[in-house]
Amino acid sequence: VPSLPTPDLVAALAAIVGAEHAIVDPDIVGSYVTDWTGRFHGDALAVVRPHTVGEVAEVVRWCAAHGVAITTQGGNTSLVAGAVPQQSVVLLTRGLNDVGPLDPDAGQITVGAGVTLAAVHAAVAGSGWEFGVDLGARDTATIGGMVATNAGGIRVVRHGTMRANLIGSEAVLGTGDVISHLGGLAKDNTGYELGALLCGSEGTLGIVTAVRLRLVRSFAERVVALVGVANVAEAVALAGHLRRTVDSLDALEVMVAPAMAVVAEHLATSAPFADAGAVLLVEAAADHDPTETLAAALNGREAIVATDRAGRARLWRYRESQTEAIGRRGVPHKLDVSVPLAATAAFVDDVMALGREHSAEVFVFGHLGDGNLHVNLLGPAPDDERLDELVLRLVASRGGSISAEHGIGRAKRQWLHLNRSPAELDAFRRVKAALDPAGILNPGVLLPD
Ligand code: FAD
Ligand code: MLT
Ligand code: ZN
């Protein structure tokens, strides 16, 4: 791979996408080489902005023939440095921005990979349907990036991750071949599900250019409650009770006390339930006001409740501002794990103890309904990964996953073996070699060397 863009590369990209979309100006290129947290930096040969699947395919074919690596970038909100280039061309997907058509009977919509999540929500609003995946980076994260990471978010407890909400994909493989399966058939057992394979592949097998999304029916009434509990064990028990008893449960999140304190400070307010060891955020959504059902399930516990849009948003700020609040305090090491629910409370205790031993601040919050905790470490230098490794080994020893939703990216590939056997890693490499034989798609991401 050349270390500087060669005249050939620049001319080839410009011939495919037009000179204004083949960018080599170092100031502009430099704005695409750092991750969202500011912890990871890379370098890029050029930035290319295709607007059609045909342009993507031509770029991939040229790069494959000339051994030039491509890093695909959507909104660059990856929290594992998955979109940070290393001596590669950054392929920006934001020009792939067609929205629709929406099929009102099937409850499906086709969108380009560069469309933001917020734009998808806006496009289906008022149709009687909603898109069932939602997350805090909605204004910037693209649907293609969310497919590539199999993103989760705050509605997984009801609607599942991206994979469950994906009916079909169009993509350009590492060979430059275009595969397209956007017909929207709810039932279709004609062989390998390539769309599902690309989902979670982190840009290493193909570049997703468009997707067909499954929609879920929209509910008129919502209620959000914040509930303080003594500790994480009580949070887990209450979460189980709510999942069993509230059929309209739509979100079930947790903030462990230090995380709650840091977000309250960031929002310049006091933390609700000052003495609580953890706070749950619960949302229920139904055709008829679900407040009574939720209140009955909470069985007299003290709660802060809102049903109006502004009030619900005010309560969600304690959860959705976590990432920003921690980021303002320093450059975090972000670990995104799941552990079996029965092991959750002891895991949090152990992680807090590790933090104290290593003089690091530890902020834990996450999607408790899915057993997914975000462990944020502040203190270690950006390249000091000793504490990260201890936490990830602890996760694996408890039967957990080192990545519940953000993916492996560049940040965690050295620890993939904690969750995946040699036989699985070998199968991964053979799939990679089949779909990206020149090895040009996101080298350095996901797969260990
Ligand atoms: P990028 O960051 O641009 O890329 C992510 C990965 O996908 C990279 O490996 C990239 O190469 C690849 N990629 C991007 N587009 C394509 C494409 N079209 N084809 C193939 N590969 C592609 N994640 C969750 O799962 N749940 C959350 O609740 C959540 N909340 C977040 C909140 C905040 C404030 C932030 C900053 C991030 C959050 N994330 C969350 C992380 C992030 O994974 C998601 O925001 C989203 O999935 C990334 O989309 P993106 O367009 O920014 O992708
Ligand atoms: C979240 O759930 O808020 C996200 O995954 C982001 C994060 O982990 O900071
Ligand atoms: Zn999350």
Side-chain angles (χ1 to χ4, degrees):
V1 176
S3 56
L4 285 171
T6 62
D8 276 5
L9 169 66
V10 179
L13 295 180
I16 297 167
V17 297
E20 70 274 36
H21 299 302
I23 302 158
V24 287
D25 175 338
D27 287 340
I28 302 179
V29 172
S31 64
Y32 294 100
V33 301
T34 300
D35 79 311
W36 194 89
T37 65
R39 182 175 162 212
F40 298 94
H41 309 278
D43 50 19
L45 302 172
V47 170
V48 63
R49 281 192 306 228
H51 287 76
T52 64
V53 59
E55 289 181 359
V56 175
E58 276 194 66
V59 170
V60 171
R61 262 182 241 127
W62 192 92
C63 288
H66 294 82
V68 174
I70 298 175
T71 300
T72 305
Q73 202 175 95
N76 198 19
T77 63
S78 167
L79 297 174
V80 290
V84 174
Q86 262 175 14
Q87 302 257 307
S88 49
V89 169
V90 175
L91 186 145
L92 285 186
T93 59
R94 291 171 227 178
L96 301 163
N97 54 10
D98 288 345
V99 178
L102 182 152
D103 182 331
D105 295 325
Q108 298 177 1
I109 188 169
T110 301
V111 298
V115 173
T116 63
L117 174 59
V120 173
H121 287 313
V124 304
S127 68
W129 298 101
E130 285 177 14
F131 182 48
V133 182
D134 196 16
L135 46 81
R138 58 183 72 80
D139 291 330
T140 316
T142 62
I143 289 295
M146 292 173 60
V147 169
T149 56
N150 185 26
I154 54 182
R155 311 273 172 217
V156 173
V157 72
R158 190 169 207 174
H159 302 302
T161 65
M162 278 304 281
R163 196 173 279 131
N165 292 277
L166 187 65
I167 302 238
S169 305
E170 174 192 81
V172 176
L173 302 179
T175 50
D177 293 324
V178 177
I179 54 168
S180 184
H181 213 69
L182 296 172
L185 298 177
K187 300 184 80 171
D188 180 8
N189 283 347
T190 52
Y192 302 133
E193 182 49 66
L194 295 176
L197 178 62
L198 290 172
C199 191
S201 68
E202 303 190 41
T204 61
L205 302 179
I207 299 173
V208 177
T209 50
V211 295
R212 183 84 170 162
L213 299 173
R214 171 180 286 120
L215 302 174
V216 297
R217 61 187 291 269
S218 147
F219 294 108
E221 304 288 337
R222 289 183 174 271
V223 59
V224 175
L226 285 183
V227 189
V229 291
N231 50 43
V232 176
E234 195 182 325
V236 170
L238 179 56
H241 171 69
L242 293 172
R243 288 177 60 216
R244 281 192 299 275
T245 53
V246 181
D247 61 352
S248 50
L249 193 65
D250 213 60
L252 184 43
E253 304 281 313
V254 71
M255 288 82 74
V256 180
M260 195 64 185
V262 91
V263 83
E265 186 186 321
H266 175 68
L267 297 174
T269 167
S270 54
F273 310 106
D275 298 330
V279 175
L280 284 183
L281 184 150
V282 189
E283 179 159 355
D287 292 331
H288 303 288
D289 186 355
T291 307
E292 271 184 30
T293 311
L294 183 57
L298 290 175
N299 196 18
R301 283 171 183 276
E302 191 193 346
I304 305 173
V305 177
T307 51
D308 64 302
R309 185 180 287 273
R312 294 192 321 254
R314 257 198 310 279
L315 298 185
W316 265 107
R317 285 204 313 159
Y318 288 104
R319 173 61 185 84
E320 292 214 313
S321 303
Q322 287 285 339
T323 315
E324 192 182 309
I326 295 165
R328 286 281 164 84
R329 208 174 164 86
V331 176
H333 291 229
K334 296 188 77 71
L335 303 176
D336 155 45
V337 306
S338 54
V339 284
L341 276 176
T344 299
F347 169 76
V348 173
D349 286 348
D350 290 351
V351 165
M352 293 297 185
L354 277 176
R356 284 191 295 275
E357 276 168 39
H358 290 78
S359 307
E361 290 186 294
V362 180
F363 301 107
V364 179
F365 62 94
H367 313 285
L368 189 62
D370 322 316
N372 172 193
L373 297 177
H374 296 308
V375 178
N376 290 256
L377 310 171
L378 273 185
D383 58 352
D384 177 355
E385 298 185 312
R386 285 171 295 178
L387 185 52
D388 306 48
E389 169 142 357
L390 290 172
V391 174
L392 296 181
R393 285 192 181 277
L394 185 64
V395 168
S397 73
R398 306 242 168 186
S401 165
I402 66 166
S403 172
E405 53 177 21
H406 299 160
I408 298 297
R410 293 190 186 284
K412 284 183 236 154
R413 67 191 188 121
Q414 60 171 308
W415 297 299
L416 187 54
H417 67 92
L418 292 175
N419 280 142
R420 296 296 189 166
S421 68
E424 283 175 304
L425 291 174
D426 193 41
F428 283 6
R429 287 200 186 89
R430 278 183 280 146
V431 171
K432 167 81 173 167
L435 301 189
D436 177 23
I440 56 157
L441 295 183
N442 274 9
V445 168
L446 176 56
L447 295 174
D449 284 333

